[in-house]
Amino acid sequence: MRYKFLFSIFVFFFISVFLALGSWQIIRLNWKLELINQIETSLKDIPVNLSNSKHKNYLRVKTRGSIDFEKQIYLYNLNEKGKPGFEVINPLKVGNNNYLLNRGWIPFNKKEDETINVIDENYINGVLRKQIKPNIFKPENDLSENYWFTLDKDDIFKFTGKNFSPYVIYLSGNNEFPKPKSITANISNNHKKYALTWFSLAISILLIYLYLRKKNY
C-alpha cells in the first residue's frame, strides 16, 4: 500500500513539473509573439533622427556624420545565399558620439577596393541593433591583417583607439557592394512546439498511471 502511495506521489510530481514547463513555454510564446510584433512595427516606422532618439533594438534612424575609412573593419560572414565574404564596418562620428556603421556584405575580392567606399555621409539611413557578446568558439581577430571574426570591444579599441555605442547602425539601401544586410523580425520561435511536447508528456504519464491503477486496484 505504501509503495502505491509513493508511486502516486512520484507520478503526480512529474506531471506537475511537465505542466509547469508547458505553461512556461506558453508565457514565452506570448512574449515572443509580442516582441516580433514590436519589431515588425518598428521596421515599418518612419526613420527618426539618431541624435534625438531613445536608442533601442530595430529602431529605424537617419543621421549624418563622418565615416572613418582608414579604420575600416572587415568582418568575416556569409551572405544571404551562404557565400563567404566580409561585412564592411566603419567607425562613424555623429556629433560627440561614436558608432559602428555596418554597410553590408562584400565578396573577398572586394577587400581594399576603393570603389566600395562611395557613400553620401550626409544621408545615412539604417536600423539600430544592439551588439551581442562575441561567440567564444570563434577564432581570434587578426588585427594586423584586418581580418575579423567578432566585434570584440577590446580589439576594436586597439584597432581604432575609440569606444563605441553598444548599438550598431545597419545601413539601409540597395547598393550592390557593400550589399546592406536585410534586417527582419525573423526570430526563432519554437515555444508552441515545446509547450505541446511538455503537455503531451504530462497527459501520456497520466493516462499510463490511470491504466496501471485500474489494472492493479
Side-chain angles (χ1 to χ4, degrees):
M1 189 69 177
R2 183 182 178 185
Y3 167 78
K4 292 179 180 179
F5 175 72
L6 292 176
F7 178 71
S8 297
I9 292 177
F10 177 80
V11 169
F12 282 104
F13 169 76
F14 277 98
I15 289 175
S16 299
V17 170
F18 292 149
L19 289 175
L21 290 171
S23 299
W24 171 243
Q25 290 299 329
I26 293 297
I27 294 173
R28 294 284 294 173
L29 172 64
N30 292 330
W31 170 80
K32 186 64 71 68
L33 291 174
E34 178 63 24
L35 175 62
I36 292 173
N37 182 62
Q38 290 177 1
I39 293 172
E40 289 177 341
T41 300
S42 181
L43 291 175
K44 293 176 183 177
D45 287 341
I46 297 173
V48 298
N49 192 295
L50 176 66
S51 300
N52 299 330
S53 67
K54 182 178 180 181
H55 294 6
K56 63 178 182 178
N57 257 335
Y58 299 99
L59 178 69
R60 292 186 67 200
V61 296
K62 59 182 179 180
T63 190
R64 64 176 63 183
S66 176
I67 298 175
D68 186 350
F69 294 103
E70 295 296 322
K71 297 298 181 179
Q72 188 157 283
I73 292 172
Y74 294 93
L75 178 68
Y76 174 84
N77 210 344
L78 307 179
N79 68 2
E80 295 172 354
K81 296 181 179 179
K83 183 178 179 180
F86 295 111
E87 288 184 2
V88 181
I89 300 172
N90 296 87
L92 173 67
K93 184 80 169 180
V94 180
N96 295 320
N97 300 311
N98 294 312
Y99 295 88
L100 291 176
L101 176 66
N102 187 318
R103 293 167 49 218
W105 182 91
I106 60 169
F108 289 129
N109 61 5
K110 288 289 184 179
K111 185 182 180 185
E112 310 295 351
D113 188 336
E114 292 185 1
T115 62
I116 67 173
N117 290 335
V118 178
I119 180 174
D120 189 343
E121 297 174 299
N122 292 314
Y123 297 95
I124 298 173
N125 287 358
V127 178
L128 290 183
R129 289 289 306 276
K130 193 168 187 178
Q131 294 189 58
I132 59 176
K133 291 183 178 180
N135 189 328
I136 60 174
F137 297 106
K138 286 190 175 182
E140 292 185 0
N141 298 320
D142 187 341
L143 275 61
S144 62
E145 294 295 329
N146 199 1
Y147 200 120
W148 298 66
F149 294 94
T150 66
L151 292 179
D152 180 81
K153 290 182 180 180
D154 293 335
D155 285 346
I156 292 173
F157 184 80
K158 291 177 185 177
F159 188 72
T160 66
K162 299 175 182 177
N163 291 310
F164 293 86
S165 166
Y167 289 90
V168 176
I169 303 173
Y170 283 79
L171 190 69
S172 301
N174 298 310
N175 300 335
E176 181 181 9
F177 295 122
K179 182 174 177 57
K181 188 172 185 176
S182 178
I183 304 298
T184 67
N186 185 21
I187 300 175
S188 176
N189 186 11
N190 297 315
H191 297 296
K192 184 177 180 179
K193 180 174 67 176
Y194 297 152
L196 290 174
T197 299
W198 292 122
F199 288 142
S200 297
L201 285 171
I203 293 172
S204 298
I205 291 174
L206 178 61
L207 292 175
I208 293 172
Y209 170 76
L210 292 176
Y211 171 77
L212 293 175
R213 191 171 186 274
K214 182 178 180 181
K215 184 178 180 181
N216 293 298
Y217 277 81

